[in-house]
Amino acid sequence: MQIPDSLERLILEFSKLPGIGRKTAQRLAFGVLRYSPQEAENLANAVSEIKKRIRFCSVCFSFTEIDPCSICTDPARHHETICVVEQPNNIFPIEKSRVYQGVYHVLMGAISPLEGIGPEQLKIRQLEKRIEQGGVRELILATNPTVQGEATALYLQQTLGPQVAKITRLARGIPAGGDLDYVDDVTLIEAFSGRRSF
Amino acid sequence: MQIPDSLERLILEFSKLPGIGRKTAQRLAFGVLRYSPQEAENLANAVSEIKKRIRFCSVCFSFTEIDPCSICTDPARHHETICVVEQPNNIFPIEKSRVYQGVYHVLMGAISPLEGIGPEQLKIRQLEKRIEQGGVRELILATNPTVQGEATALYLQQTLGPQVAKITRLARGIPAGGDLDYVDDVTLIEAFSGRRSF
């Protein structure tokens, strides 16, 4: 018995999603098979609509349905502080925590010579333009704590340093709720070197 | 910042899929956002098509695009042996292994009084009809090794026993590639009681 063509096609489409292997794709496809026709239509429409309705903000390159996005146009946000992240989705956890009141700039990646991604492939020129327009007092580098993220932060610090009064990066250390037994060496070294008086 | 409506809707739709929580649904939705419009359309079409093209075989209740399914109409299969499974997708691993040449019957679930599923909610009456038509010599009970699956197998053995020459169930024991350290008590007891001479 062959898996029916249309089922095989859905399994293939699901397995293209990030982190979804063949087995999980099968489970998802079988799940859709148990849906009512209306439920399946809802999922199909949601997938189809998203590419039509979501675009990138022309100022900060975050996801948005209206351009510029609601953060860039919000007068209550602190427009003199820009938090620089790698991907649009990095903004959601920061917003969820309500810790930050400034605006954002999405680089759309990180410097990675092995993958052929240099500074010119990222939205760094656009960030420089925002700084040239004036009013930016602090740049918070929130790139990922990876080799690529670190390289990108270093590059930004070197090229934009002369233009911005203050460039900071997020603190490194032991995560809340973590266990010392499971903390890696690099994190421990950063936690020690960044220790603060109690 | 609110997550844009259409993105939120896609996250919600993905999180309805089996085994997908909010976090995974977000990762999948961000994956779709990175798709080209064509790729997103492909996924949407695959979801939408499946409910239109796949139906249940009127003989064995497996998934199929043509009714009756390719197994039920295949003259090379052994139609005197019926393997009874709970769900249509249970058929795929058996077919993949090429160990079985008979036909199937999908019950569409298992007896579960707590969920209000009795024998009359399952495709047991249809199985009886197939047996009444004659020619069935063996029933292989391949329900899941769970309380519900066992109860269903017991029920089938008691009600259909007088009508079929041979009723068997799949062997229980230690799975190939398993480790004795991680085998549970019930499986060990079944492996000992079902031991075979070497």
Side-chain angles (χ1 to χ4, degrees):
Chain A
M1 184 212 199
Q2 283 266 304
I3 291 184
D5 281 350
S6 50
L7 181 56
E8 180 62 36
R9 220 185 106 213
L10 183 58
I11 294 171
L12 276 179
E13 289 296 337
F14 274 138
S15 59
K16 288 179 194 163
L17 288 167
I20 302 291
R22 171 91 196 172
K23 280 260 169 180
T24 311
Q26 271 189 13
R27 203 188 61 219
L28 298 182
F30 293 140
V32 174
L33 271 176
R34 263 178 238 130
Y35 274 14
S36 71
Q38 187 52 52
E39 286 171 318
E41 236 11 80
N42 288 348
L43 173 57
N45 285 341
V47 170
S48 170
E49 280 296 295
I50 201 159
K51 287 304 290 184
K52 290 173 196 149
R53 298 196 39 194
I54 300 238
R55 64 201 75 197
F56 295 112
C57 171
S58 59
V59 179
C60 72
F61 301 95
S62 167
F63 296 135
T64 183
E65 292 191 353
I66 323 137
D67 185 25
C69 75
S70 57
I71 293 183
C72 288
T73 53
D74 185 349
R77 307 282 305 210
H78 306 159
H79 290 263
E80 73 281 3
T81 310
I82 299 181
C83 176
V84 180
V85 295
E86 290 180 24
Q87 297 291 348
N89 42 305
N90 298 148
I91 294 177
F92 297 119
I94 301 176
E95 284 299 294
K96 199 165 149 263
S97 74
R98 291 166 192 275
V99 71
Y100 179 66
Q101 303 304 323
V103 294
Y104 294 93
H105 191 87
V106 180
L107 296 173
M108 290 293 178
I111 293 170
S112 173
L114 283 175
E115 295 169 77
I117 303 174
E120 52 293 337
Q121 269 81 48
L122 305 175
K123 304 293 181 190
I124 292 177
R125 183 74 207 101
Q126 289 83 344
L127 176 58
E128 277 186 279
K129 264 203 186 129
R130 286 176 77 176
I131 293 166
E132 280 161 18
Q133 283 164 8
V136 177
R137 275 194 265 161
E138 182 177 354
L139 221 53
I140 301 175
L141 304 180
T143 52
N144 285 324
T146 59
V147 176
Q148 293 83 359
E150 292 291 276
T152 310
L154 197 66
Y155 177 87
L156 290 177
Q157 194 254 314
Q158 286 173 344
T159 50
L160 303 176
Q163 300 168 58
V164 193
K166 198 170 159 191
I167 297 190
T168 56
R169 66 167 202 170
L170 294 187
R172 297 295 163 71
I174 298 155
D179 187 321
L180 270 184
D181 282 355
Y182 300 108
V183 171
D184 63 288
D185 289 353
V186 177
T187 304
L188 261 186
I189 291 167
E190 304 221 50
F192 269 90
S193 76
R195 68 190 183 279
R196 306 207 307 203
S197 55
F198 198 61
Chain B
M1 184 212 199
Q2 283 266 305
I3 292 182
D5 283 348
S6 51
L7 181 57
E8 180 62 38
R9 219 185 106 214
L10 183 59
I11 294 171
L12 275 179
E13 290 296 336
F14 274 140
S15 60
K16 287 180 194 163
L17 288 167
I20 302 292
R22 170 92 195 172
K23 280 258 169 181
T24 310
Q26 271 188 13
R27 203 188 61 219
L28 298 182
F30 293 140
V32 174
L33 273 176
R34 261 179 240 131
Y35 274 15
S36 72
Q38 186 52 51
E39 287 171 317
E41 236 12 80
N42 287 347
L43 173 57
N45 285 340
V47 170
S48 170
E49 279 295 296
I50 200 160
K51 286 303 290 183
K52 290 173 196 149
R53 299 195 39 193
I54 299 241
R55 65 203 74 198
F56 295 112
C57 172
S58 59
V59 179
C60 73
F61 300 97
S62 166
F63 296 135
T64 182
E65 292 190 354
I66 325 137
D67 185 25
C69 75
S70 58
I71 294 183
C72 287
T73 54
D74 185 349
R77 307 282 306 209
H78 306 160
H79 290 264
E80 72 281 3
T81 311
I82 300 181
C83 177
V84 180
V85 295
E86 290 180 22
Q87 297 290 349
N89 41 305
N90 298 148
I91 293 177
F92 297 120
I94 302 176
E95 284 299 295
K96 199 164 150 262
S97 74
R98 291 168 193 272
V99 70
Y100 179 66
Q101 305 303 323
V103 293
Y104 294 93
H105 190 88
V106 180
L107 296 173
M108 290 293 180
I111 294 171
S112 174
L114 283 175
E115 295 170 74
I117 303 173
E120 55 291 337
Q121 269 81 49
L122 305 175
K123 305 292 182 189
I124 293 179
R125 183 74 206 101
Q126 288 84 344
L127 177 58
E128 278 187 281
K129 266 205 186 128
R130 286 176 77 178
I131 294 166
E132 280 162 17
Q133 283 164 8
V136 178
R137 274 194 265 162
E138 182 177 354
L139 221 54
I140 302 174
L141 304 180
T143 52
N144 286 322
T146 59
V147 176
Q148 292 83 358
E150 292 291 277
T152 310
L154 197 65
Y155 177 86
L156 291 177
Q157 193 253 314
Q158 286 173 346
T159 51
L160 304 176
Q163 299 169 58
V164 193
K166 198 171 158 190
I167 297 190
T168 56
R169 66 168 203 169
L170 294 186
R172 298 295 163 72
I174 299 155
D179 186 322
L180 269 184
D181 283 355
Y182 300 108
V183 171
D184 63 288
D185 290 352
V186 177
T187 304
L188 261 186
I189 290 167
E190 303 219 52
F192 269 91
S193 76
R195 69 192 183 278
R196 307 207 307 206
S197 54
F198 199 62

